[in-house]
Amino acid sequence: RILSASVSGLWNDMEKIRSLIEKYLQVIKYFIISCGTAVIELCIGLLLINLLHLSEVVSNTAGILIGSAIHYVCVTKKVFNRSVDIRTVVIYISTFLLGMFIQNGVVWGVCRLLDGVVGKSIGYTVSKVASLAVSFFVLYGVRKFLYAKVTPRNNKDNK
């Protein structure tokens, strides 16, 4: 009887988790894709800082440009279920510029705060993580709103 109650309780908990995942699947997908491209951006930034001795902002911008091209295709198709077309390109590029401004501002500010406190690579990494956190929430909300207003969904049911 105790085992039956435990299994029943576990099953109910799993159903609640499944329901939450279904409810937030779009933002979960966006988060996973964003994390993957963030790793790409961070690696590019660190390589440029350490190998070419470029500034944090220049290195960050190069990483953002490459990561964003990958991010655009993935989130447009897999998260927002839209076609890669001129409308989605315009939305993405306009919000990309907002995101790059946010990220570079945070990177610059945090690197200045940490200058002399930690090494350049550590300072850049901390600032990059902070910049990604801020831009993630801003850009997800803006893109979700704009895609919903401007572009039709593909035929697949993808919430």
Side-chain angles (χ1 to χ4, degrees), residues 30-131:
Y30 190 89
F31 179 76
I32 291 168
I33 292 167
S34 296
C35 287
T37 55
V39 169
I40 293 168
E41 290 178 22
L42 178 63
C43 290
I44 291 168
L46 287 170
L47 283 171
L48 295 174
I49 287 168
N50 291 306
L51 294 179
L52 300 179
H53 307 289
L54 297 176
S55 76
E56 294 94 342
V57 172
V58 171
S59 300
N60 189 59
T61 300
I64 290 172
L65 289 171
I66 294 166
S68 291
I70 297 165
H71 193 263
Y72 162 69
V73 173
C74 293
V75 300
T76 299
K77 290 183 171 196
K78 299 296 181 189
V79 176
F80 298 114
N81 196 27
R82 303 300 198 274
S83 299
V84 174
D85 61 20
I86 191 64
R87 293 172 296 186
T88 59
V89 168
V90 169
I91 290 169
Y92 196 89
I93 289 173
S94 61
T95 58
F96 161 81
L97 294 172
L98 171 64
M100 191 162 60
F101 177 78
I102 291 168
Q103 283 194 36
N104 279 332
V106 173
V107 164
W108 181 85
V110 173
C111 281
R112 298 298 74 76
L113 285 172
L114 297 177
D115 190 30
V117 178
V118 296
K120 199 169 191 174
S121 291
I122 300 283
Y124 174 72
T125 302
V126 170
S127 70
K128 183 64 179 174
V129 170
S131 75

Side-chain angles (χ1 to χ4, degrees), residues 135-147:
S135 67
F136 172 84
F137 291 106
V138 172
L139 294 182
Y140 174 76
V142 170
R143 286 176 178 153
K144 182 176 180 178
F145 174 79
L146 291 175
Y147 279 141

